[in-house]
Amino acid sequence: MYTQLEQRGMVDPPINVSTLRDMKESGEPIACLTAYDASYASLVDAAGIDLVLVGDSLGMVIQGHDTTVPVTVSDIIYHTKMVARGLRRAFLVADMPFMSYSDPGQALQNAVQLMQEGGAMMIKLEGGEGQIEIVEHLSRHDIPVCAHIGLKPQSVHKIGGFKVQGRDPEHARRMVDNARRLQDAGADIVLLECVPNEVGEAVRNELHVPVIGIGAGPDVDGQILVLYDILDITQGRTPKFVKNFMAGHDSPLAAIQSYVEAVRDKSYPQPEHCFS
Ligand code: KIV
């Protein structure tokens, strides 16, 4: 009963939503990474990662698709279950796949499955103005939500490619506004992908919930990358924000530890990983 009370006295207690908010408030950078199976999850956890995402990027790095669009709710549940078994301290977030949250009822049903069957502690959805009602509905049912804005990979066919977002000042202003509306609707975290540094900073300053960036510059509350990208497993062209942390390290654990250190001491990202 109330194991969380016992965990409070631990040297290194499990991370929860309050820990992440406290980290934002105290300016302690949040180190996040994706994982898709139990072995890597235990390495990532041992390296000190704060938040693990079972991302629909698994469609690309595990299943070999060109986009995240073919990923299903069952795929995410399968991988989330495995990742959950490998974690002790890190906070576990699972992605809602393409078209699994097209109306509030469907979103709630799928989010409940990701939490009850998969073991996720929060769900992530790609959201803009159109998803505010869905975030509100999930939040009203006490489902913790991470809202993913900026470049939304599930919209790749609509946007016409993986492109930097928010370069035009009007678009940037709308993005900041949407981030605040998603927060006000109940989002507990905002994830911001592929935007110029100033947009990352503006969203971070506007919100009281943590803002996690991927290609959003140094002035956000935390960083996230795809595990297989930082371990140099991904073949072909990788996005500008990717850094190969295997370089100079002789094991995946050492590489992930070096990523955690780089996020914490803010030596990652450097200007060559950022957009203007
Ligand atoms: O699916 C995923 O891995 C993601 C990250 C790129 C943040 O959404």
Side-chain angles (χ1 to χ4, degrees), residues 34 53 55-57 95 124 148 191 193 214 224 226:
T34 66
L53 168 69
D56 60 359
S57 52
D95 241 340
K124 172 165 87 63
H148 182 156
L191 189 148
E193 178 161 357
I214 174 163
I224 186 162
V226 169

Side-chain angles (χ1 to χ4, degrees), residues 50-205:
D50 303 305
L51 180 154
V52 171
L53 168 69
V54 180
D56 60 359
S57 52
L58 69 85
M60 298 166 86
V61 299
I62 304 283
Q63 298 174 334
H65 296 295
D66 286 339
T67 73
T68 59
V69 170
V71 176
T72 64
V73 173
S74 312
D75 293 335
I76 299 282
I77 291 175
Y78 175 75
H79 287 278
T80 305
K81 276 181 182 172
M82 296 191 280
V83 169
R85 290 183 204 120
L87 299 183
R88 190 199 61 78
R89 172 181 170 275
F91 188 71
L92 178 56
V93 182
D95 241 340
M96 303 274 288
F98 180 63
M99 283 300 133
S100 66
Y101 48 98
S102 53
D103 66 63
Q106 183 205 28
L108 182 61
Q109 193 181 356
N110 286 324
V112 167
Q113 259 194 295
L114 293 180
M115 294 182 76
Q116 285 193 321
E117 292 179 41
M121 297 159 178
M122 175 179 283
I123 60 85
K124 172 165 87 63
L125 51 79
E126 295 184 9
E129 229 176 323
Q131 278 68 41
I132 288 171
E133 187 196 350
I134 289 169
V135 171
E136 235 161 29
H137 188 67
L138 294 178
S139 186
R140 210 177 311 124
H141 288 85
D142 289 338
I143 307 276
V145 177
C146 170
H148 182 156
I149 60 170
L151 172 62
K152 294 181 282 178
Q154 291 172 11
S155 308
V156 62
H157 296 308
K158 182 84 174 165
I159 309 165
F162 296 98
K163 295 177 182 165
V164 181
Q165 303 293 303
R167 273 191 165 137
D168 144 51
E170 175 52 25
H171 187 192
R173 196 198 53 70
R174 259 188 288 123
M175 208 183 289
V176 176
D177 195 46
N178 280 337
R180 196 190 26 73
R181 291 176 67 198
L182 287 159
Q183 167 190 271
D184 295 347
D188 303 275
I189 294 182
V190 167
L191 189 148
L192 189 53
E193 178 161 357
C194 254
V195 296
N197 290 5
E198 314 79 74
V199 178
E201 187 180 7
V203 174
R204 193 262 327 257
N205 292 343

Side-chain angles (χ1 to χ4, degrees), residues 15-65:
I15 304 280
N16 59 38
V17 182
S18 317
T19 327
L20 297 171
R21 279 200 190 202
D22 291 348
M23 288 174 84
K24 174 174 178 119
E25 256 169 47
S26 63
E28 192 185 335
I30 304 169
C32 316
L33 205 53
T34 66
Y36 314 98
D37 67 34
S39 297
Y40 273 123
S42 62
L43 275 188
V44 158
D45 197 75
I49 286 287
D50 303 305
L51 180 154
V52 171
L53 168 69
V54 180
D56 60 359
S57 52
L58 69 85
M60 298 166 86
V61 299
I62 304 283
Q63 298 174 334
H65 296 295

